[in-house]
């Protein structure tokens, strides 16, 4: 008995998922496509591209895989869930149509408008002149967004008219994001603290995860360009129970319910990114997957067997599972390559991992190893160092005392994760 599981993806998020699944007594064997050096400790990694859907389907059939977990958005956008489901396999991750909540910002806005889900006002444009005219008429600040997936780079939060015009030109005229920028959204700029909500869903039943907060700008005090995320803490003590309930019911559950009513049921993980504005919580964006690095901080808090949850999602019986979390506070700090999020060099030897405390987790993203198991940098975000404690302060101290034992040439990280609450 036991379940054969495949994870698709290669980041710290998938490392954390593999680490957690490996603790399950229900697991028979774990594979990862393509996986990474950290995942290699828990799964057989297979060198197939995560968008090569035909080859992945064949692999699932050959290895009699019972359940496939999709980590990143790119294979979801390419329709991996549709293809696996069509062939009779169970998947955790939304269909291409449902993943549009993330892959098309205009689709997400339409769902929000129709269902009274609070978000920034926006207008969609394909013509740069019309977009500029519209921005000129407004007397408020705007955010310019490419409609499609642009690896987190398609969003410009503008401080003035000039920045908005430059962003419009970059997307619609210079086509900096290709087809992802055929359409843009000109969105009202919101102000407030940000938080990430995450939920498991089988399309009908919803189990909410704890709230967490990512730090997107590269430098301390939220300065510098945005990245994929430089660190996370959970829980945000500044979020009241009332606001959390409001987000869970009036944003996450409402979105999932409306997707089911529209006959594009949403299954897998839904992660709304939110801003707590003067008028209450409003959606910044929906993501059709676990956040990275949020997952690295959330999964160490999960007390329930993750495979039991995924298995229940696969069978559409999530209501039967009691999902429990511990009350620990957790902090995760990303160690990045010199130059990231712009260009950076790879292949730098990573030192000090042998000195990490046993109660601290290291999740790997951009890491490669040689034949002697020496580790080298292989990406922008390299490692996530995760520590827990009874308070955010305690977790942060433990995380940074371990960060200080790790080094590689050019390594940089934020020193204020969890302290700029
Ligand atoms: P996204 O790639 O959609 O997550 O956006 C990246 C970041 O841009 C978000 O985390 C916010 O900090 C910021 N952002 C996006 N939309 C808005 C908005 N309407 N108002 C203010 N900030 C925004
Ligand atoms: N933490 C940002 C993201 O996963 O999109």
């Amino acid at each position: 008995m036991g379940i054969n599981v495949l994870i698709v993806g290669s980041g710290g998020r998938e490392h954390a998922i593999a680490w957690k699944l490996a603790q399950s007594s229900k697991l028979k064997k774990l594979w990862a496509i393509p996986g990474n050096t950290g995942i290699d400790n828990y799964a057989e990694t297979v060198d197939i591209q995560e968008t090569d859907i035909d080859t992945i389907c064949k692999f699932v059939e050959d290895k009699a895989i019972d359940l496939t977990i999709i980590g990143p958005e790119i294979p979801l956008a390419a329709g991996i869930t549709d293809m696996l489901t069509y062939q009779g396999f169970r998947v955790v991750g939304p269909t291409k149509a449902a993943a549009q909540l993330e892959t098309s910002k205009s689709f997400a806005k339409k769902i929000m408008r129709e269902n009274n889900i609070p978000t920034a006002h926006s207008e969609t444009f394909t013509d740069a002149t019309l977009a500029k005219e519209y921005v000129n008429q407004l007397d408020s600040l705007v955010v310019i967004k490419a409609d499609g997936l642009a690896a987190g780079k398609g969003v410009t939060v503008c401080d003035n008219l000039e920045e908005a015009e430059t962003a419009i030109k970059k997307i619609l005229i210079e086509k900096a994001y290709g087809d992802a920028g055929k359409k843009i959204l000109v969105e009202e700029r919101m102000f407030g603290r940000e938080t990430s909500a995450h939920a498991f869903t089988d399309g009908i039943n919803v189990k909410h995860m704890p709230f967490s907060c990512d730090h997107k700008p590269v430098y301390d005090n939220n300065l510098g360009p945005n990245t994929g995320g430089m660190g996370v803490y959970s829980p945000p003590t500044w979020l009241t129970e009332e606001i959390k309930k409001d987000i869970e019911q009036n944003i996450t559950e409402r979105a999932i319910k409306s997707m089911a009513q529209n006959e594009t049921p949403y299954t897998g993980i839904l992660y709304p990114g939110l801003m707590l504005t003067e008028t209450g919580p409003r959606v910044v964006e929906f993501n059709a997957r676990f956040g990275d690095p949020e997952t690295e901080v959330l999964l160490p808090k999960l007390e329930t067997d993750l495979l039991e949850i995924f298995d229940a999602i696969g069978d559409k019986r999530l209501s039967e599972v009691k999902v429990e979390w511990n009350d620990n506070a957790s902090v995760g700090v990303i160690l990045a390559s010199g130059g990231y999020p712009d260009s950076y060099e790879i292949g730098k030897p990573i030192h000090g991992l042998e000195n990490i405390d046993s109660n601290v987790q290291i999740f790997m993203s951009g890491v490669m190893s040689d034949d002697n198991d020496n580790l080298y940098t292989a990406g922008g975000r390299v490692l996530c160092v995760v520590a827990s404690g009874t308070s955010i302060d305690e977790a942060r101290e433990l995380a940074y005392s371990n960060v200080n034992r790790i080094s590689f040439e050019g390594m940089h990280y934020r020193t204020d994760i969890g302290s700029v609450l």
Side-chain angles (χ1 to χ4, degrees):
M1 283 301 286
I3 303 177
N4 279 332
V5 180
L6 167 67
I7 302 176
V8 176
S10 62
R13 165 182 50 210
E14 289 77 22
H15 185 178
I17 295 171
W19 166 81
K20 197 71 193 174
L21 288 178
Q23 297 167 19
S24 173
S25 57
K26 296 186 168 57
L27 183 69
K28 188 166 165 194
K29 176 156 181 171
L30 187 59
W31 285 267
I33 289 179
N36 69 24
T37 301
I39 296 171
D40 219 15
N41 294 317
Y42 310 100
E44 183 177 328
T45 55
V46 186
D47 191 16
I48 299 175
Q49 282 196 0
E50 63 189 30
T51 47
D52 186 354
I53 296 179
D54 289 341
T55 311
I56 294 176
C57 286
K58 186 155 184 330
F59 184 84
V60 166
E61 188 176 4
D62 287 350
K63 302 291 179 191
I65 286 166
D66 303 304
L67 194 59
T68 301
I69 318 299
I70 315 298
E73 63 277 21
I74 304 279
L76 294 170
I80 192 166
T81 299
D82 308 60
M83 193 59 96
L84 282 166
T85 310
Y86 179 72
Q87 296 188 17
F89 301 115
R90 295 188 310 151
V91 190
V92 175
T95 60
K96 186 174 177 171
Q100 284 181 97
L101 271 184
E102 172 167 4
T103 62
S104 167
K105 291 187 193 294
S106 53
F107 175 87
K109 286 287 181 189
K110 180 171 161 284
I111 295 289
M112 287 188 269
R113 234 182 351 257
E114 287 172 0
N115 293 282
N116 224 354
I117 295 174
T119 186
H121 180 76
S122 76
E123 295 286 338
T124 305
F125 293 91
T126 50
D127 182 278
T129 310
L130 293 178
K132 282 183 194 170
E133 269 173 29
Y134 174 73
V135 175
N136 268 293
Q137 284 165 21
L138 299 174
D139 48 13
S140 51
L141 294 173
V142 296
V143 178
I144 306 293
K145 300 183 170 184
D147 183 58
L149 289 179
K153 292 181 192 149
V155 174
T156 308
V157 180
C158 306
D159 283 323
N160 53 51
L161 197 63
E162 243 185 309
E163 282 178 17
E165 292 194 345
T166 307
I168 292 169
K169 189 168 154 220
K170 186 173 170 188
I171 306 175
L172 284 179
I173 297 176
E174 293 162 9
K175 306 199 185 307
Y177 308 112
D179 278 357
K182 272 187 173 165
K183 270 193 267 187
I184 60 166
L185 271 70
V186 178
E187 193 170 292
E188 161 203 1
R189 180 166 169 187
M190 301 184 286
F191 294 89
R193 284 165 154 169
E194 287 185 62
T195 188
S196 304
H198 278 76
F200 295 108
T201 180
D202 59 8
I204 295 170
N205 303 291
V206 182
K207 302 280 180 179
H208 299 281
M209 302 188 212
F211 284 79
S212 57
C213 298
D214 191 4
H215 298 59
K216 287 203 173 130
V218 66
Y219 302 126
D220 283 6
N221 296 313
N222 289 328
L223 297 174
N226 269 347
T227 66
M230 292 298 287
V232 170
Y233 67 90
S234 175
T237 45
W238 48 269
L239 262 188
T240 64
E241 288 305 314
E242 194 188 345
I243 296 170
K244 287 189 214 169
K245 273 270 152 307
D246 182 21
I247 294 170
E248 290 173 352
Q249 292 172 354
N250 298 324
I251 293 178
T252 310
E253 291 173 27
R254 207 178 275 179
I256 291 167
K257 194 168 172 193
S258 79
M259 294 299 282
Q261 282 166 347
N262 292 350
E263 293 179 10
T264 47
Y266 186 98
T267 62
I269 287 96
L270 184 63
Y271 146 29
L274 305 147
M275 199 174 272
L276 197 59
T277 69
E278 271 180 351
T279 59
R282 295 164 85 190
V283 175
V284 175
E285 58 169 355
F286 281 111
N287 297 292
R289 52 176 171 83
F290 269 119
D292 192 351
E294 284 91 335
T295 312
E296 290 92 310
V297 162
L298 290 174
L299 291 185
K301 292 160 70 72
L302 179 62
E303 296 287 325
T304 308
D305 181 341
L306 181 61
L307 185 48
E308 192 182 331
I309 300 171
F310 285 160
D311 194 34
I313 293 174
D315 288 346
K316 310 240 179 299
R317 49 170 183 81
L318 188 59
S319 59
E320 290 173 17
V321 183
K322 190 161 191 304
V323 179
E324 291 182 299
W325 305 87
N326 65 42
D327 290 333
N328 290 341
S330 301
V331 169
V333 181
I334 292 285
L335 309 185
S337 289
Y340 174 80
D342 294 325
S343 61
Y344 51 83
E345 290 178 6
I346 60 168
K348 311 292 181 195
I350 301 171
H351 305 287
L353 289 183
E354 64 283 4
N355 301 323
I356 295 307
D357 291 328
S358 58
N359 56 348
V360 168
Q361 269 85 43
I362 303 288
F363 295 115
M364 298 184 183
S365 30
V367 177
M368 58 190 172
S369 60
D370 64 15
D371 293 344
N372 298 320
D373 289 337
N374 296 311
L375 300 177
Y376 302 87
T377 63
R381 292 192 293 179
V382 177
L383 299 169
C384 185
V385 179
V386 180
S388 300
T390 53
S391 65
I392 295 282
D393 281 348
E394 198 181 300
R396 192 180 58 241
E397 265 177 41
L398 181 60
Y400 280 109
S401 71
N402 280 269
V403 164
N404 290 334
R405 298 174 207 166
I406 305 172
S407 64
F408 52 84
E409 194 189 314
M411 175 174 119
H412 72 97
Y413 57 88
R414 279 184 61 159
T415 65
D416 62 353
I417 303 301
S419 53
V420 277
L421 307 181

